[in-house]
Every structure is written in structure tokens, then in C-alpha cells.
Amino acid sequence: MQRIPVVLDVDTGVDDACALLLAALHPGLDLRAVTCVGGNAPLADVVRNTLLVLETAGRTDVPVGVGASRPLLEQPVDARHVHGSDGMADLGMPAPTLEPDARIAIDLLRDTVLAAAEAGEPITLVPLAPMTNIALLARVHPEAFARIGRIVFMGGGANVSNATAAAEFNVFHDPEAAAVVLDACAAHEVPVAMYGLDVFYDPKVTDADVEALRAVDTPVARLAADLISFHHRRFANDGATIGDAGAVAMLLAPDAVRTERRPVRVELSGTWTRGRTIVDTRDWSGDMAHDPHGVSPAMVEVALEIDGPRIARLWLDTVGGEAR
């Protein structure tokens, strides 16, 4: 299998941690760098959690860049009510010994993207968080943004929302950043896919799966089990989504996800709809003169259906050691 060079941009809460484990350990992925942004938790917690996950996975070779602590315009919010007071399940893990890279996130992204492009190995960038860092990269280092091979982001939804009645959390947290990134993808012809809430909840891990991971009894398997078990307890159910990890798994099993290529915009000014991803599902191409907005130039592969059990099994096999 040819390894896919990837960079993750994270706001490490529970599901980002699941995604990091998959990206760090699956033999089909070559994790080149990770960048951090405030989102699920404040930035300092995100950085600590990210370093802890990489240490646990034995990937101390992966540089971690510290990025934006707040959105471009909005005041920061967090989702600790979902992910725990420390952003990662309140597991009481010791402080990491690994240190962040000396470069800030956008400089680490620039260097990693350009080096990979020069080597003929374009990076697949996987933002799993508010896209503040990625928008800043597009504005500060447009020459590097243009060399990204593909962007697969977790965010938005065609028909489902969570942070508000209209918007998904990552896009809601920094809608201007999401809009900047989609515009930059259109301008630089960077292919982009949206792994949104329409598929986010379908790959589930059960109590029985957790117990099987505990029986493996490795540091990675124990961490994975603890993360999923936290959501079982918090939401009182027997099935927890692996969330952001599904966007990473989509790279490895693209045929497990049905996508449609659709124009997408981000609503920036609606009283009730700010932060909504407007997925244009019109199935005709007639006279558009009556539409003052026209069709969005950002064409996005929107994930609409997923083989949840297959994606969950891919994650379980990886964190359980069977994929390595």
C-alpha cells in the first residue's frame, strides 16, 4: 500500500484523539505534522492533549505546531461539556514530555506542504477543528496553500447541525475561516471534501468493543478504550461515535463513503443561520438570472452516506494493533 502523506489540524478533544491514533498508527498513512487550534478546549489544553496522544502512540517524531487560540472574529467558545474539563475525557494522564515544534502552526504547515510538494508527495490536509489555522495559511502563505494536494475537513453538514439549529460546531466556531478556506480552494484549485454531520455519527464503537480493546492491554488500546468509555458514560449509551476519526478513515476506505460533488458556501450573516454550510442540491443547470448569488465557485465532495460498521472496524483494528 502506498502511504498517504497527511497533516492533521486539531482541537484535540475525545474524537480528535481517536483520529490522531488512527493517523499515527495506520500503515497506509504517513503523518508528517500536526497543528493545534483552540476549539473543543482552550489552546493550552489542546496542545497538551495532542502531545499526550502522540507520546502514547510512540510518535514523538511528529512535529506539533501551536496555532490560533481564538477565531478570526468571534469570541472563543469550547465544548468541554462534551469532551471533559481538560478536553480529553478527564483521564488524569501525566504531563507529556514531548515539546511542541518551535515553529508556529502556519509556518510548520508551510514548510511541510512545500517540502512534500517538492518531493512529489503532495500533502492531504485534514482539518478536524475550526479552520482558523488553515485560513491564516491561505492568507499569509498562499504559495504553500496552492501546493496542498487535497483538503478533507470535518465540519458542516448538508442536512444535520449541532452547535445551533443551523450550524455544526467547527464551522460555527469560526465561520469566516471556513469561508476563507473554501474560497482559497476554489481560487487555487485545491480539491476539497467535507466529512460533515450527515455521516459523523454513524461509525460507532460499543461496550463490547471497549472490553475487547482493554483485553489487548497496550498503552494505545487502553487510551482508545478510555476515550470511548468516557462518551458511553457521559451520554448513557452503548455506542459512541469515533467522530473525527471517520474523516481520517475516509482516506483509507474511500469506497465506504458516498459523496456528491456540490457547490458549498458558508452563511456569515444570517440571524438564525450563521455558520451553516449551504450545500447546493439543485439538480438542474438552467437560467440562474433570478438567483442574485449564483452558484458557489467552491465545489466540494460532500459526504452523505457511510458504511459506519466498516469504518468503526478499521479504527478498532488499528488501535488494537491488528492493522500494523
Side-chain angles (χ1 to χ4, degrees):
M1 181 186 297
Q2 185 174 0
R3 302 176 74 202
I4 302 169
V6 298
V7 172
L8 268 56
D9 185 75
V10 298
D11 59 342
T12 302
V14 172
D15 57 337
D16 299 75
C18 292
L20 279 166
L21 289 175
L22 179 59
L25 295 170
H26 196 282
L29 299 176
D30 180 6
L31 182 60
R32 301 284 180 90
V34 177
T35 51
C36 298
V37 66
N40 283 329
L43 182 61
D45 291 331
V46 169
V47 173
R48 180 199 62 236
N49 296 343
T50 301
L51 296 172
L52 281 171
V53 173
L54 290 172
E55 273 195 1
T56 302
R59 291 301 308 273
T60 57
D61 59 307
V62 177
V64 174
V66 179
S69 62
R70 54 161 294 160
L72 297 177
L73 298 181
E74 295 277 9
Q75 291 297 316
V77 296
D78 62 53
R80 285 182 284 188
H81 62 290
V82 173
H83 297 274
S85 60
D86 67 355
M88 201 173 74
D90 297 319
L91 299 178
M93 297 176 71
T97 59
L98 185 63
E99 294 286 339
D101 195 87
R103 291 164 289 183
I104 62 172
I106 61 170
D107 289 350
L108 176 58
L109 285 168
R110 175 200 60 198
D111 294 349
T112 307
V113 166
L114 290 178
E118 290 299 320
E121 302 172 330
I123 289 290
T124 295
L125 178 58
V126 187
L128 304 174
M131 288 198 279
T132 317
N133 287 339
I134 316 307
L136 291 170
L137 175 72
R139 289 292 186 258
V140 178
H141 301 304
E143 77 290 349
F145 189 97
R147 304 293 296 277
I148 295 170
R150 184 188 185 203
I151 291 178
V152 177
F153 73 93
M154 189 281 122
N159 303 297
V160 186
S161 56
N162 61 4
T164 70
E168 174 275 334
F169 177 81
N170 283 346
V171 179
F172 159 81
H173 190 270
D174 197 341
E176 280 75 21
V180 166
V181 171
L182 290 183
D183 286 349
C185 286
H188 296 292
E189 299 183 341
V190 174
V192 57
M194 183 176 94
Y195 184 93
L197 293 181
D198 305 279
V199 294
F200 180 88
Y201 297 108
D202 291 341
K204 289 185 172 63
V205 176
T206 67
D207 279 335
D209 295 324
V210 167
E211 292 311 307
L213 283 175
R214 294 200 192 285
V216 175
D217 199 28
T218 62
V220 166
R222 288 194 296 271
L223 174 57
D226 287 344
L227 292 169
I228 296 297
S229 181
F230 171 81
H231 271 177
H232 286 171
R233 299 191 310 274
R234 175 144 291 197
F235 298 106
N237 57 34
D238 178 42
T241 176
I242 59 171
D244 289 353
V248 177
M250 180 177 168
L251 308 181
L252 297 161
D255 58 331
V257 184
R258 183 179 71 83
T259 67
E260 291 184 5
R261 186 171 170 80
R262 294 290 183 180
V264 177
R265 282 192 172 98
V266 178
E267 176 58 64
L268 299 179
S269 59
T271 300
W272 312 115
T273 56
R274 178 168 162 78
R276 183 173 183 82
T277 46
I278 308 300
V279 178
D280 191 342
T281 59
R282 290 176 289 187
D283 59 359
W284 54 273
S285 57
D287 183 2
M288 300 291 290
H290 67 286
D291 183 347
H293 310 295
V295 175
S296 170
M299 298 297 295
V300 179
E301 291 292 335
V302 179
L304 295 174
E305 293 182 22
I306 191 170
D307 184 341
R310 180 180 169 192
I311 294 295
R313 175 47 53 191
L314 187 156
W315 182 79
L316 285 163
D317 287 347
T318 301
V319 299
E322 294 182 30
R324 303 193 291 282

PDB file of all heavy atoms in Angstrom, residues 201-234:
ATOM      1  N   TYR A 201     -21.932  10.590  12.864  1.00  0.00           N
ATOM      2  CA  TYR A 201     -22.399   9.782  13.990  1.00  0.00           C
ATOM      3  C   TYR A 201     -22.512   8.287  13.679  1.00  0.00           C
ATOM      4  O   TYR A 201     -22.759   7.490  14.589  1.00  0.00           O
ATOM      5  CB  TYR A 201     -23.762  10.294  14.476  1.00  0.00           C
ATOM      6  CG  TYR A 201     -23.721  11.705  15.012  1.00  0.00           C
ATOM      7  CD1 TYR A 201     -24.279  12.753  14.302  1.00  0.00           C
ATOM      8  CD2 TYR A 201     -23.114  11.990  16.239  1.00  0.00           C
ATOM      9  CE1 TYR A 201     -24.241  14.062  14.791  1.00  0.00           C
ATOM     10  CE2 TYR A 201     -23.072  13.284  16.732  1.00  0.00           C
ATOM     11  CZ  TYR A 201     -23.638  14.315  16.008  1.00  0.00           C
ATOM     12  OH  TYR A 201     -23.595  15.599  16.494  1.00  0.00           O
ATOM     13  N   ASP A 202     -22.336   7.901  12.431  1.00  0.00           N
ATOM     14  CA  ASP A 202     -22.630   6.519  12.057  1.00  0.00           C
ATOM     15  C   ASP A 202     -21.567   5.490  12.458  1.00  0.00           C
ATOM     16  O   ASP A 202     -21.923   4.354  12.800  1.00  0.00           O
ATOM     17  CB  ASP A 202     -22.899   6.433  10.554  1.00  0.00           C
ATOM     18  CG  ASP A 202     -24.214   7.105  10.173  1.00  0.00           C
ATOM     19  OD1 ASP A 202     -25.060   7.300  11.065  1.00  0.00           O
ATOM     20  OD2 ASP A 202     -24.393   7.452   8.996  1.00  0.00           O
ATOM     21  N   PRO A 203     -20.261   5.785  12.388  1.00  0.00           N
ATOM     22  CA  PRO A 203     -19.279   4.790  12.863  1.00  0.00           C
ATOM     23  C   PRO A 203     -19.266   4.750  14.397  1.00  0.00           C
ATOM     24  O   PRO A 203     -18.808   5.688  15.049  1.00  0.00           O
ATOM     25  CB  PRO A 203     -17.947   5.298  12.307  1.00  0.00           C
ATOM     26  CG  PRO A 203     -18.313   6.302  11.257  1.00  0.00           C
ATOM     27  CD  PRO A 203     -19.593   6.918  11.722  1.00  0.00           C
ATOM     28  N   LYS A 204     -19.790   3.668  14.972  1.00  0.00           N
ATOM     29  CA  LYS A 204     -19.954   3.580  16.424  1.00  0.00           C
ATOM     30  C   LYS A 204     -19.134   2.436  16.998  1.00  0.00           C
ATOM     31  O   LYS A 204     -18.947   1.398  16.373  1.00  0.00           O
ATOM     32  CB  LYS A 204     -21.429   3.381  16.791  1.00  0.00           C
ATOM     33  CG  LYS A 204     -22.306   4.611  16.566  1.00  0.00           C
ATOM     34  CD  LYS A 204     -23.712   4.363  17.078  1.00  0.00           C
ATOM     35  CE  LYS A 204     -24.546   5.636  17.043  1.00  0.00           C
ATOM     36  NZ  LYS A 204     -24.747   6.143  15.698  1.00  0.00           N
ATOM     37  N   VAL A 205     -18.683   2.648  18.241  1.00  0.00           N
ATOM     38  CA  VAL A 205     -17.942   1.639  18.992  1.00  0.00           C
ATOM     39  C   VAL A 205     -18.750   1.309  20.241  1.00  0.00           C
ATOM     40  O   VAL A 205     -19.195   2.216  20.961  1.00  0.00           O
ATOM     41  CB  VAL A 205     -16.543   2.158  19.362  1.00  0.00           C
ATOM     42  CG1 VAL A 205     -15.804   1.150  20.234  1.00  0.00           C
ATOM     43  CG2 VAL A 205     -15.736   2.456  18.096  1.00  0.00           C
ATOM     44  N   THR A 206     -18.942   0.023  20.511  1.00  0.00           N
ATOM     45  CA  THR A 206     -19.825  -0.428  21.579  1.00  0.00           C
ATOM     46  C   THR A 206     -19.045  -0.767  22.848  1.00  0.00           C
ATOM     47  O   THR A 206     -17.810  -0.825  22.863  1.00  0.00           O
ATOM     48  CB  THR A 206     -20.605  -1.667  21.139  1.00  0.00           C
ATOM     49  OG1 THR A 206     -19.668  -2.758  20.978  1.00  0.00           O
ATOM     50  CG2 THR A 206     -21.334  -1.426  19.830  1.00  0.00           C
ATOM     51  N   ASP A 207     -19.798  -1.047  23.910  1.00  0.00           N
ATOM     52  CA  ASP A 207     -19.187  -1.509  25.166  1.00  0.00           C
ATOM     53  C   ASP A 207     -18.380  -2.785  24.939  1.00  0.00           C
ATOM     54  O   ASP A 207     -17.300  -2.955  25.516  1.00  0.00           O
ATOM     55  CB  ASP A 207     -20.270  -1.782  26.219  1.00  0.00           C
ATOM     56  CG  ASP A 207     -20.738  -0.519  26.918  1.00  0.00           C
ATOM     57  OD1 ASP A 207     -19.970   0.465  26.968  1.00  0.00           O
ATOM     58  OD2 ASP A 207     -21.877  -0.509  27.422  1.00  0.00           O
ATOM     59  N   ALA A 208     -18.913  -3.681  24.124  1.00  0.00           N
ATOM     60  CA  ALA A 208     -18.189  -4.931  23.845  1.00  0.00           C
ATOM     61  C   ALA A 208     -16.868  -4.645  23.138  1.00  0.00           C
ATOM     62  O   ALA A 208     -15.835  -5.276  23.432  1.00  0.00           O
ATOM     63  CB  ALA A 208     -19.054  -5.865  23.006  1.00  0.00           C
ATOM     64  N   ASP A 209     -16.870  -3.688  22.230  1.00  0.00           N
ATOM     65  CA  ASP A 209     -15.630  -3.294  21.562  1.00  0.00           C
ATOM     66  C   ASP A 209     -14.631  -2.728  22.556  1.00  0.00           C
ATOM     67  O   ASP A 209     -13.419  -2.984  22.466  1.00  0.00           O
ATOM     68  CB  ASP A 209     -15.919  -2.245  20.482  1.00  0.00           C
ATOM     69  CG  ASP A 209     -16.775  -2.759  19.348  1.00  0.00           C
ATOM     70  OD1 ASP A 209     -16.619  -3.937  18.971  1.00  0.00           O
ATOM     71  OD2 ASP A 209     -17.596  -1.978  18.832  1.00  0.00           O
ATOM     72  N   VAL A 210     -15.128  -1.928  23.504  1.00  0.00           N
ATOM     73  CA  VAL A 210     -14.252  -1.343  24.525  1.00  0.00           C
ATOM     74  C   VAL A 210     -13.594  -2.437  25.350  1.00  0.00           C
ATOM     75  O   VAL A 210     -12.383  -2.392  25.632  1.00  0.00           O
ATOM     76  CB  VAL A 210     -15.042  -0.369  25.415  1.00  0.00           C
ATOM     77  CG1 VAL A 210     -14.238   0.008  26.660  1.00  0.00           C
ATOM     78  CG2 VAL A 210     -15.405   0.890  24.640  1.00  0.00           C
ATOM     79  N   GLU A 211     -14.373  -3.424  25.754  1.00  0.00           N
ATOM     80  CA  GLU A 211     -13.807  -4.509  26.559  1.00  0.00           C
ATOM     81  C   GLU A 211     -12.770  -5.300  25.763  1.00  0.00           C
ATOM     82  O   GLU A 211     -11.752  -5.749  26.316  1.00  0.00           O
ATOM     83  CB  GLU A 211     -14.919  -5.433  27.063  1.00  0.00           C
ATOM     84  CG  GLU A 211     -15.829  -4.774  28.087  1.00  0.00           C
ATOM     85  CD  GLU A 211     -15.036  -4.081  29.195  1.00  0.00           C
ATOM     86  OE1 GLU A 211     -14.171  -4.739  29.813  1.00  0.00           O
ATOM     87  OE2 GLU A 211     -15.264  -2.877  29.441  1.00  0.00           O
ATOM     88  N   ALA A 212     -13.000  -5.475  24.465  1.00  0.00           N
ATOM     89  CA  ALA A 212     -12.011  -6.159  23.624  1.00  0.00           C
ATOM     90  C   ALA A 212     -10.718  -5.353  23.553  1.00  0.00           C
ATOM     91  O   ALA A 212      -9.612  -5.924  23.574  1.00  0.00           O
ATOM     92  CB  ALA A 212     -12.580  -6.394  22.227  1.00  0.00           C
ATOM     93  N   LEU A 213     -10.827  -4.026  23.484  1.00  0.00           N
ATOM     94  CA  LEU A 213      -9.629  -3.193  23.491  1.00  0.00           C
ATOM     95  C   LEU A 213      -8.891  -3.313  24.823  1.00  0.00           C
ATOM     96  O   LEU A 213      -7.664  -3.377  24.862  1.00  0.00           O
ATOM     97  CB  LEU A 213     -10.003  -1.732  23.240  1.00  0.00           C
ATOM     98  CG  LEU A 213     -10.329  -1.334  21.805  1.00  0.00           C
ATOM     99  CD1 LEU A 213     -10.796   0.116  21.753  1.00  0.00           C
ATOM    100  CD2 LEU A 213      -9.114  -1.517  20.894  1.00  0.00           C
ATOM    101  N   ARG A 214      -9.629  -3.321  25.915  1.00  0.00           N
ATOM    102  CA  ARG A 214      -8.974  -3.441  27.237  1.00  0.00           C
ATOM    103  C   ARG A 214      -8.205  -4.760  27.339  1.00  0.00           C
ATOM    104  O   ARG A 214      -7.149  -4.822  27.977  1.00  0.00           O
ATOM    105  CB  ARG A 214     -10.005  -3.331  28.352  1.00  0.00           C
ATOM    106  CG  ARG A 214     -10.660  -1.964  28.462  1.00  0.00           C
ATOM    107  CD  ARG A 214     -11.285  -1.753  29.828  1.00  0.00           C
ATOM    108  NE  ARG A 214     -12.133  -0.573  29.843  1.00  0.00           N
ATOM    109  CZ  ARG A 214     -11.695   0.682  29.869  1.00  0.00           C
ATOM    110  NH1 ARG A 214     -10.391   0.917  29.859  1.00  0.00           N
ATOM    111  NH2 ARG A 214     -12.550   1.693  29.895  1.00  0.00           N
ATOM    112  N   ALA A 215      -8.725  -5.799  26.706  1.00  0.00           N
ATOM    113  CA  ALA A 215      -8.049  -7.096  26.750  1.00  0.00           C
ATOM    114  C   ALA A 215      -6.728  -7.069  25.990  1.00  0.00           C
ATOM    115  O   ALA A 215      -5.812  -7.837  26.300  1.00  0.00           O
ATOM    116  CB  ALA A 215      -8.962  -8.184  26.182  1.00  0.00           C
ATOM    117  N   VAL A 216      -6.600  -6.176  25.010  1.00  0.00           N
ATOM    118  CA  VAL A 216      -5.332  -6.037  24.279  1.00  0.00           C
ATOM    119  C   VAL A 216      -4.235  -5.541  25.204  1.00  0.00           C
ATOM    120  O   VAL A 216      -3.068  -5.944  25.120  1.00  0.00           O
ATOM    121  CB  VAL A 216      -5.514  -5.084  23.075  1.00  0.00           C
ATOM    122  CG1 VAL A 216      -4.183  -4.818  22.381  1.00  0.00           C
ATOM    123  CG2 VAL A 216      -6.529  -5.659  22.091  1.00  0.00           C
ATOM    124  N   ASP A 217      -4.605  -4.610  26.096  1.00  0.00           N
ATOM    125  CA  ASP A 217      -3.740  -4.140  27.186  1.00  0.00           C
ATOM    126  C   ASP A 217      -2.406  -3.563  26.709  1.00  0.00           C
ATOM    127  O   ASP A 217      -1.341  -3.875  27.241  1.00  0.00           O
ATOM    128  CB  ASP A 217      -3.496  -5.272  28.190  1.00  0.00           C
ATOM    129  CG  ASP A 217      -3.023  -4.730  29.548  1.00  0.00           C
ATOM    130  OD1 ASP A 217      -3.384  -3.583  29.891  1.00  0.00           O
ATOM    131  OD2 ASP A 217      -2.263  -5.448  30.239  1.00  0.00           O
ATOM    132  N   THR A 218      -2.472  -2.708  25.692  1.00  0.00           N
ATOM    133  CA  THR A 218      -1.324  -1.880  25.318  1.00  0.00           C
ATOM    134  C   THR A 218      -1.664  -0.435  25.673  1.00  0.00           C
ATOM    135  O   THR A 218      -2.841  -0.098  25.871  1.00  0.00           O
ATOM    136  CB  THR A 218      -1.048  -1.963  23.806  1.00  0.00           C
ATOM    137  OG1 THR A 218      -2.191  -1.449  23.100  1.00  0.00           O
ATOM    138  CG2 THR A 218      -0.779  -3.397  23.377  1.00  0.00           C
ATOM    139  N   PRO A 219      -0.663   0.450  25.772  1.00  0.00           N
ATOM    140  CA  PRO A 219      -0.981   1.843  26.083  1.00  0.00           C
ATOM    141  C   PRO A 219      -1.970   2.464  25.104  1.00  0.00           C
ATOM    142  O   PRO A 219      -2.879   3.198  25.516  1.00  0.00           O
ATOM    143  CB  PRO A 219       0.392   2.528  26.018  1.00  0.00           C
ATOM    144  CG  PRO A 219       1.362   1.456  26.378  1.00  0.00           C
ATOM    145  CD  PRO A 219       0.808   0.210  25.772  1.00  0.00           C
ATOM    146  N   VAL A 220      -1.808   2.172  23.811  1.00  0.00           N
ATOM    147  CA  VAL A 220      -2.720   2.729  22.814  1.00  0.00           C
ATOM    148  C   VAL A 220      -4.128   2.176  23.000  1.00  0.00           C
ATOM    149  O   VAL A 220      -5.119   2.931  22.986  1.00  0.00           O
ATOM    150  CB  VAL A 220      -2.220   2.437  21.388  1.00  0.00           C
ATOM    151  CG1 VAL A 220      -3.303   2.694  20.351  1.00  0.00           C
ATOM    152  CG2 VAL A 220      -0.991   3.289  21.078  1.00  0.00           C
ATOM    153  N   ALA A 221      -4.246   0.868  23.149  1.00  0.00           N
ATOM    154  CA  ALA A 221      -5.569   0.255  23.296  1.00  0.00           C
ATOM    155  C   ALA A 221      -6.256   0.737  24.576  1.00  0.00           C
ATOM    156  O   ALA A 221      -7.469   0.973  24.584  1.00  0.00           O
ATOM    157  CB  ALA A 221      -5.448  -1.268  23.285  1.00  0.00           C
ATOM    158  N   ARG A 222      -5.495   0.896  25.650  1.00  0.00           N
ATOM    159  CA  ARG A 222      -6.094   1.395  26.894  1.00  0.00           C
ATOM    160  C   ARG A 222      -6.602   2.820  26.727  1.00  0.00           C
ATOM    161  O   ARG A 222      -7.696   3.164  27.185  1.00  0.00           O
ATOM    162  CB  ARG A 222      -5.084   1.316  28.044  1.00  0.00           C
ATOM    163  CG  ARG A 222      -4.803  -0.100  28.517  1.00  0.00           C
ATOM    164  CD  ARG A 222      -4.085  -0.096  29.863  1.00  0.00           C
ATOM    165  NE  ARG A 222      -2.765   0.529  29.786  1.00  0.00           N
ATOM    166  CZ  ARG A 222      -1.645  -0.142  29.498  1.00  0.00           C
ATOM    167  NH1 ARG A 222      -1.691  -1.443  29.249  1.00  0.00           N
ATOM    168  NH2 ARG A 222      -0.481   0.485  29.454  1.00  0.00           N
ATOM    169  N   LEU A 223      -5.810   3.666  26.074  1.00  0.00           N
ATOM    170  CA  LEU A 223      -6.241   5.042  25.845  1.00  0.00           C
ATOM    171  C   LEU A 223      -7.491   5.057  24.968  1.00  0.00           C
ATOM    172  O   LEU A 223      -8.466   5.777  25.261  1.00  0.00           O
ATOM    173  CB  LEU A 223      -5.132   5.854  25.187  1.00  0.00           C
ATOM    174  CG  LEU A 223      -5.502   7.286  24.770  1.00  0.00           C
ATOM    175  CD1 LEU A 223      -6.001   8.100  25.959  1.00  0.00           C
ATOM    176  CD2 LEU A 223      -4.313   7.982  24.097  1.00  0.00           C
ATOM    177  N   ALA A 224      -7.487   4.290  23.888  1.00  0.00           N
ATOM    178  CA  ALA A 224      -8.648   4.243  22.998  1.00  0.00           C
ATOM    179  C   ALA A 224      -9.896   3.781  23.758  1.00  0.00           C
ATOM    180  O   ALA A 224     -10.981   4.356  23.598  1.00  0.00           O
ATOM    181  CB  ALA A 224      -8.365   3.320  21.823  1.00  0.00           C
ATOM    182  N   ALA A 225      -9.743   2.767  24.576  1.00  0.00           N
ATOM    183  CA  ALA A 225     -10.879   2.268  25.356  1.00  0.00           C
ATOM    184  C   ALA A 225     -11.385   3.318  26.329  1.00  0.00           C
ATOM    185  O   ALA A 225     -12.597   3.514  26.490  1.00  0.00           O
ATOM    186  CB  ALA A 225     -10.480   0.997  26.101  1.00  0.00           C
ATOM    187  N   ASP A 226     -10.474   4.014  26.984  1.00  0.00           N
ATOM    188  CA  ASP A 226     -10.874   5.039  27.950  1.00  0.00           C
ATOM    189  C   ASP A 226     -11.606   6.194  27.272  1.00  0.00           C
ATOM    190  O   ASP A 226     -12.560   6.747  27.823  1.00  0.00           O
ATOM    191  CB  ASP A 226      -9.648   5.570  28.693  1.00  0.00           C
ATOM    192  CG  ASP A 226      -9.094   4.592  29.710  1.00  0.00           C
ATOM    193  OD1 ASP A 226      -9.812   3.635  30.067  1.00  0.00           O
ATOM    194  OD2 ASP A 226      -7.928   4.776  30.144  1.00  0.00           O
ATOM    195  N   LEU A 227     -11.165   6.577  26.092  1.00  0.00           N
ATOM    196  CA  LEU A 227     -11.809   7.675  25.373  1.00  0.00           C
ATOM    197  C   LEU A 227     -13.250   7.318  25.014  1.00  0.00           C
ATOM    198  O   LEU A 227     -14.179   8.111  25.241  1.00  0.00           O
ATOM    199  CB  LEU A 227     -11.024   7.998  24.097  1.00  0.00           C
ATOM    200  CG  LEU A 227      -9.633   8.611  24.292  1.00  0.00           C
ATOM    201  CD1 LEU A 227      -8.872   8.612  22.971  1.00  0.00           C
ATOM    202  CD2 LEU A 227      -9.720  10.025  24.860  1.00  0.00           C
ATOM    203  N   ILE A 228     -13.454   6.138  24.456  1.00  0.00           N
ATOM    204  CA  ILE A 228     -14.798   5.728  24.052  1.00  0.00           C
ATOM    205  C   ILE A 228     -15.673   5.499  25.279  1.00  0.00           C
ATOM    206  O   ILE A 228     -16.846   5.898  25.311  1.00  0.00           O
ATOM    207  CB  ILE A 228     -14.743   4.465  23.182  1.00  0.00           C
ATOM    208  CG1 ILE A 228     -13.993   4.756  21.873  1.00  0.00           C
ATOM    209  CG2 ILE A 228     -16.148   3.951  22.900  1.00  0.00           C
ATOM    210  CD1 ILE A 228     -14.647   5.795  20.984  1.00  0.00           C
ATOM    211  N   SER A 229     -15.108   4.887  26.307  1.00  0.00           N
ATOM    212  CA  SER A 229     -15.869   4.626  27.527  1.00  0.00           C
ATOM    213  C   SER A 229     -16.364   5.921  28.162  1.00  0.00           C
ATOM    214  O   SER A 229     -17.464   5.978  28.725  1.00  0.00           O
ATOM    215  CB  SER A 229     -15.006   3.837  28.518  1.00  0.00           C
ATOM    216  OG  SER A 229     -15.719   3.557  29.699  1.00  0.00           O
ATOM    217  N   PHE A 230     -15.558   6.978  28.081  1.00  0.00           N
ATOM    218  CA  PHE A 230     -15.974   8.280  28.613  1.00  0.00           C
ATOM    219  C   PHE A 230     -17.267   8.739  27.958  1.00  0.00           C
ATOM    220  O   PHE A 230     -18.199   9.196  28.627  1.00  0.00           O
ATOM    221  CB  PHE A 230     -14.865   9.302  28.376  1.00  0.00           C
ATOM    222  CG  PHE A 230     -15.261  10.724  28.679  1.00  0.00           C
ATOM    223  CD1 PHE A 230     -15.243  11.191  29.987  1.00  0.00           C
ATOM    224  CD2 PHE A 230     -15.663  11.586  27.671  1.00  0.00           C
ATOM    225  CE1 PHE A 230     -15.614  12.502  30.282  1.00  0.00           C
ATOM    226  CE2 PHE A 230     -16.027  12.896  27.948  1.00  0.00           C
ATOM    227  CZ  PHE A 230     -16.011  13.354  29.258  1.00  0.00           C
ATOM    228  N   HIS A 231     -17.362   8.609  26.636  1.00  0.00           N
ATOM    229  CA  HIS A 231     -18.584   9.033  25.954  1.00  0.00           C
ATOM    230  C   HIS A 231     -19.749   8.090  26.236  1.00  0.00           C
ATOM    231  O   HIS A 231     -20.905   8.532  26.302  1.00  0.00           O
ATOM    232  CB  HIS A 231     -18.342   9.157  24.455  1.00  0.00           C
ATOM    233  CG  HIS A 231     -17.874  10.519  24.064  1.00  0.00           C
ATOM    234  ND1 HIS A 231     -17.535  10.858  22.775  1.00  0.00           N
ATOM    235  CD2 HIS A 231     -17.708  11.661  24.792  1.00  0.00           C
ATOM    236  CE1 HIS A 231     -17.167  12.137  22.733  1.00  0.00           C
ATOM    237  NE2 HIS A 231     -17.261  12.624  23.933  1.00  0.00           N
ATOM    238  N   HIS A 232     -19.471   6.795  26.444  1.00  0.00           N
ATOM    239  CA  HIS A 232     -20.547   5.898  26.849  1.00  0.00           C
ATOM    240  C   HIS A 232     -21.157   6.369  28.156  1.00  0.00           C
ATOM    241  O   HIS A 232     -22.386   6.383  28.328  1.00  0.00           O
ATOM    242  CB  HIS A 232     -20.010   4.471  27.011  1.00  0.00           C
ATOM    243  CG  HIS A 232     -19.726   3.785  25.716  1.00  0.00           C
ATOM    244  ND1 HIS A 232     -19.075   2.574  25.654  1.00  0.00           N
ATOM    245  CD2 HIS A 232     -19.993   4.122  24.429  1.00  0.00           C
ATOM    246  CE1 HIS A 232     -18.960   2.200  24.393  1.00  0.00           C
ATOM    247  NE2 HIS A 232     -19.497   3.125  23.631  1.00  0.00           N
ATOM    248  N   ARG A 233     -20.302   6.747  29.118  1.00  0.00           N
ATOM    249  CA  ARG A 233     -20.802   7.193  30.424  1.00  0.00           C
ATOM    250  C   ARG A 233     -21.474   8.555  30.324  1.00  0.00           C
ATOM    251  O   ARG A 233     -22.540   8.781  30.901  1.00  0.00           O
ATOM    252  CB  ARG A 233     -19.655   7.254  31.437  1.00  0.00           C
ATOM    253  CG  ARG A 233     -18.972   5.916  31.694  1.00  0.00           C
ATOM    254  CD  ARG A 233     -18.044   5.981  32.896  1.00  0.00           C
ATOM    255  NE  ARG A 233     -17.122   7.109  32.847  1.00  0.00           N
ATOM    256  CZ  ARG A 233     -15.947   7.077  32.224  1.00  0.00           C
ATOM    257  NH1 ARG A 233     -15.574   5.983  31.580  1.00  0.00           N
ATOM    258  NH2 ARG A 233     -15.142   8.125  32.250  1.00  0.00           N
ATOM    259  N   ARG A 234     -20.838   9.475  29.600  1.00  0.00           N
ATOM    260  CA  ARG A 234     -21.372  10.842  29.558  1.00  0.00           C
ATOM    261  C   ARG A 234     -22.737  10.898  28.894  1.00  0.00           C
ATOM    262  O   ARG A 234     -23.606  11.651  29.308  1.00  0.00           O
ATOM    263  CB  ARG A 234     -20.389  11.762  28.835  1.00  0.00           C
ATOM    264  CG  ARG A 234     -20.903  13.185  28.638  1.00  0.00           C
ATOM    265  CD  ARG A 234     -19.820  14.217  28.772  1.00  0.00           C
ATOM    266  NE  ARG A 234     -19.320  14.347  30.125  1.00  0.00           N
ATOM    267  CZ  ARG A 234     -18.601  15.384  30.573  1.00  0.00           C
ATOM    268  NH1 ARG A 234     -18.318  16.378  29.776  1.00  0.00           N
ATOM    269  NH2 ARG A 234     -18.170  15.424  31.808  1.00  0.00           N
TER     270      ARG A 234
END
